[in-house]
Amino acid sequence: MTARPILAVRNLRVVHRSVGFGPARVSVAVNGISFDIARGDTFALVGESGCGKTTTARAILRLIDASSGTIEYDGLDLRALRGEALRRQRKRMQIVFQDPFTSLNPRHTVGSIVGEGLIVHDLARGAEVAAKVARLLEEVGLSAADAVRYPAELSGGQRQRVAIARALAVDPEFLILDEAVSALDVTTQAQVLALIASLRDARVLTCLFIAHNLAVVQSVASTVAVMYQGRIVEQGPVTALFAASKHPYTRAMLDAVPVTDPRDRHARTPLAGDPGAGGGAEPGCAFYPRCPHPSKDAVCRAAVPPLRAPAGESAAGSAAGSAAGSAAGSSSGAEEAQGHGSAHLVACTKAVPPSL
Amino acid sequence: MTPLLSVENLTVTYARNDAERMAVDSISFAIEPGEIVALVGESGSGKTATGLAIMGILSANARVGPGSAIRFEGRDLLATPERELRDIRGRRISMVFQEPAAALNPVMCVGDQVAEVALVHGERDKRAARTKAIEMLGRVGLPDADERYRAYPHELSGGMRQRVMLAIALLLRPALVIADEPTSALDVTVQAQVLALLLDLQREAQTAVLLITHDLGVVAETCARALVMREGRIVESASVDDLFHAPAHEYTRELLAAMPRIVRPA
């Protein structure tokens, strides 16, 4: 058995309510997802815009409030934390945002951006702050002299390095990278990805890596979960997801990635429709309207398919999988016991044996 | 055969705080009718400035250097008066921008924005323009084009908005479309749809495309030839096959090496 996960998310649900004129509109951004992240692991959450991946990250960090479900970090119930306890917890978990042009205060110097966390959490005082900031900047590949510069004087890649230094300043255990390399040029992206991997290994960080590009995920993550309209539709070890993906959405996403060699060009039928947002209104599988291979019978539309081990794979904990049969996405004791670690699971009625 | 477009010795500088910054540094290239050519480079390489210079829509603080020439269908666009350029734009050359949400008019329904192209270019009959627009919206895959004619940009998804942009750009079957990062803001499954549509329309109308992109995957997927730009200069010009299999310039090799790729286990 694997060690106890450092982060355990169970049946997390986040509902957004529109504010403004007219009747309030409700959209379910995250619709009951569960996953585990083991200490030192890099877990990738992949999906297209509106699928709920960023909302999940923000709910974990308590930047927004979850509607229901539990988020447990190292035995602590994160949703119950208040005041000083929450502040202390935030030192342990940090985030790097997508756009380094908006995530850094343009009126603060690099030194004060990186040093702020040190002061807030009383990790350094006086001259110590500058010395620590200098070390951090060097650690992320900038120079100590950059401390006096402003974000506007830096390139996109340099700014993202500042954002990483800021996150690392408080010496966190857990780092969320929310599309941290998506806005960067391809050569810069490769450099920042390499930096993230080396920092993670050197500091033994646990990472939640959020991306919309499967190609970026493959090199950094050990476990991948694919989200679609607020739900995880497939998850498993990175090898299984790329070599033996079972969900038609995962496959479509893989197929949609452009070839890297013009000789590999091939005719293909792109998936129709839009990724959309705010699913959960229809009773069945959210992917059903776009699915290239929907069931002839009503099974796909009847209920949301639960996450189960795919046909022909004897996943760890498959004994518990059978008990999840009627759960249809709701919580069940067996599903909880099964864990949501690194086993390959898929939420598609056609990818799992009917007997389960 | 004379090329459809030939850019000769093009230089573009931007004035900022009394200093001149060179965005495009004496580049030359040509595009044949019906050809799809990629202009590849990272941000700041000058690829967008090149596209804007061809369209004649550079911002006020930009200046095209002396000795530059942009020949299109037998005339030098740089020596063409604005009045005539307006007739060429939208009819013979059109442009698709990266961010359809910013390129479309937010307070005008999308159908009217398509029909406007026909009306500006000589169509007198409003109803005919409307019919043409609906037909084109259907052609680019907007479901229920008849009803969606009245939709405003914010009511459409990013992918649908980019389809509307393609409808506007291709309505009058121009000889050249400059597509500036047309799929960079889109999700990967939607990018595949929009690229397929662009190729489809391009084949149908035999339009030449200058595809500006930073994504070599998009190049590998769609183009016959590619120009690699860096710091305002074209550092390599090659067929895509040569570019990917025998890159001549060190920077091209760097770009290729940095490309995120999915490794499919054997």
Side-chain angles (χ1 to χ4, degrees):
Chain A
M1 283 307 286
T2 47
R4 230 173 61 147
I6 189 156
L7 181 78
V9 173
R10 289 292 174 275
N11 303 309
L12 180 69
R13 232 174 106 84
V14 185
V15 178
H16 292 311
R17 258 167 248 283
S18 71
V19 182
F21 299 109
R25 269 176 309 200
V26 168
S27 77
V28 183
V30 178
N31 201 351
I33 67 169
S34 303
F35 61 89
D36 285 346
I37 305 181
R39 199 181 288 272
D41 235 2
T42 298
F43 184 93
L45 209 48
V46 185
E48 296 183 282
S49 43
C51 73
K53 54 196 194 299
T54 291
T55 304
T56 302
R58 292 183 179 212
I60 291 169
L61 287 176
R62 290 283 305 277
L63 297 175
I64 54 172
D65 280 324
S67 310
S68 62
T70 61
I71 306 165
E72 204 180 282
Y73 182 88
D74 199 15
L76 283 167
D77 175 5
L78 290 191
R79 287 191 62 206
L81 291 184
R82 296 284 181 274
E84 181 58 23
L86 177 60
R87 208 177 69 86
R88 273 203 310 273
Q89 177 61 24
R90 288 210 162 119
K91 182 191 158 306
R92 302 173 74 184
M93 308 172 81
Q94 288 288 310
I95 184 166
V96 177
F97 296 100
Q98 169 168 5
D99 186 355
F101 288 81
T102 55
S103 69
L104 303 179
N105 188 328
R107 293 180 179 275
H108 284 212
T109 61
V110 166
S112 93
I113 290 168
V114 176
E116 189 174 9
L118 292 171
I119 296 163
V120 166
H121 289 284
D122 201 18
L123 300 169
R125 280 178 192 181
E128 249 185 329
V129 175
K132 279 199 168 172
V133 166
R135 271 206 301 281
L136 283 159
L137 290 178
E138 277 160 14
E139 192 179 353
V140 297
L142 296 169
S143 94
D146 289 325
V148 298
R149 300 170 78 186
Y150 286 88
E153 301 170 60
L154 306 177
S155 69
Q158 289 172 324
R159 290 181 205 210
Q160 206 55 311
R161 288 172 193 268
V162 172
I164 292 169
R166 169 175 64 184
L168 296 180
V170 296
D171 199 17
E173 305 153 3
F174 188 90
L175 189 59
I176 295 182
L177 299 143
D178 186 3
E179 300 268 19
V181 299
S182 308
L184 305 177
D185 277 319
V186 59
T187 51
T188 314
Q189 183 179 67
Q191 291 160 6
V192 174
L193 271 177
L195 171 70
I196 289 169
S198 82
L199 291 170
R200 173 196 61 194
D201 296 344
R203 288 173 167 257
V204 202
L205 289 165
T206 306
C207 293
L208 174 59
F209 190 95
I210 293 173
H212 65 276
N213 185 346
L214 277 166
V216 167
V217 161
Q218 193 175 24
S219 61
V220 293
S222 43
T223 310
V224 182
V226 176
M227 279 187 86
Y228 190 78
Q229 292 197 4
R231 290 195 167 91
I232 291 175
V233 295
E234 184 164 13
Q235 72 175 60
V238 68
T239 46
L241 259 288
F242 284 87
S245 59
K246 300 290 182 195
H247 198 283
Y249 179 61
T250 313
R251 290 189 171 184
M253 271 185 85
L254 282 167
D255 188 53
V257 174
V259 295
T260 51
D261 182 339
R263 291 180 190 173
D264 295 340
R265 265 183 217 176
H266 55 282
R268 51 180 153 199
T269 321
L271 194 61
D274 276 310
E282 303 292 318
C285 174
F287 187 63
Y288 177 81
R290 297 179 80 193
C291 187
H293 318 287
S295 271
K296 293 277 186 288
D297 49 44
V299 62
C300 293
R301 273 179 296 176
V304 176
L307 272 173
R308 284 179 292 182
E313 281 184 36
S314 56
S318 63
S322 58
S326 60
S330 66
S331 74
S332 91
E335 209 178 346
E336 301 268 329
Q338 180 188 349
H340 295 263
S342 55
H344 188 187
L345 300 169
V346 60
C348 176
T349 45
K350 296 196 77 183
V352 294
S355 57
L356 271 184
Chain B
M1 192 165 78
T2 51
L4 175 72
L5 172 82
S6 90
V7 171
E8 289 152 35
N9 209 24
L10 177 68
T11 298
V12 179
T13 53
Y14 282 92
R16 205 180 356 176
N17 308 335
D18 300 329
E20 291 249 305
R21 196 182 67 82
M22 191 165 285
V24 180
D25 187 357
S26 44
I27 64 167
S28 300
F29 64 92
I31 299 178
E32 304 294 331
E35 200 185 16
I36 310 182
V37 178
L39 190 57
V40 192
E42 298 186 288
S43 42
S45 62
K47 53 192 199 302
T48 293
T50 302
L52 296 176
I54 297 168
M55 282 296 279
I57 52 172
L58 283 163
S59 55
N61 64 334
R63 207 167 53 83
V64 175
S68 305
I70 298 172
R71 286 179 223 288
F72 174 76
E73 293 187 324
R75 64 209 296 179
D76 185 352
L77 294 182
L78 295 175
T80 304
E82 176 62 27
R83 202 186 160 77
E84 286 168 49
L85 281 180
R86 249 180 278 155
D87 177 55
I88 295 170
R89 279 187 218 122
R91 192 173 60 80
R92 300 305 299 157
I93 310 181
S94 60
M95 191 151 180
V96 177
F97 298 94
Q98 169 168 1
E99 193 48 77
L104 294 171
N105 184 343
V107 294
M108 189 173 174
C109 71
V110 294
D112 281 347
Q113 297 188 54
V114 180
E116 187 184 29
V117 184
L119 293 170
V120 163
H121 288 284
E123 177 61 68
R124 294 272 177 81
D125 184 351
K126 279 194 173 176
R127 206 172 308 157
R130 190 191 148 89
T131 310
K132 217 171 178 174
I134 290 172
E135 208 177 292
M136 193 63 194
L137 287 171
R139 179 67 193 86
V140 298
L142 200 74
D144 311 314
D146 220 350
E147 281 169 38
R148 292 295 187 92
Y149 185 99
R150 288 264 146 240
Y152 288 90
H154 75 271
E155 298 174 292
L156 302 177
S157 66
M160 285 302 154
R161 284 197 284 253
Q162 200 57 302
R163 286 170 191 268
V164 172
M165 281 296 298
L166 287 179
I168 292 171
L170 288 152
L171 183 76
L172 301 180
R173 297 179 160 243
L176 175 67
V177 171
I178 299 169
D180 188 1
E181 303 272 10
T183 60
S184 303
L186 304 177
D187 280 314
V188 59
T189 59
V190 180
Q191 163 170 292
Q193 294 168 4
V194 171
L195 280 182
L197 174 66
L198 177 67
L199 288 185
D200 230 27
L201 296 167
Q202 181 272 335
R203 262 192 302 270
E204 196 180 286
Q206 278 306 302
T207 303
V209 179
L210 180 64
L211 184 71
I212 298 174
T213 180
H214 68 277
D215 188 340
L216 279 165
V218 170
V219 177
E221 203 65 68
T222 56
C223 298
R225 218 151 53 77
L227 311 161
V228 181
M229 264 190 106
R230 188 191 194 186
E231 290 170 5
R233 290 169 179 271
I234 292 177
V235 296
E236 182 160 4
S237 163
S239 73
V240 285
D241 200 66
D242 282 349
L243 193 84
F244 283 80
H245 290 278
H249 197 278
E250 178 56 33
Y251 179 63
T252 311
R253 283 194 283 273
E254 253 176 65
L255 281 180
L256 286 168
M259 228 179 140
R261 54 190 78 218
I262 286 177
V263 183
R264 290 179 198 271

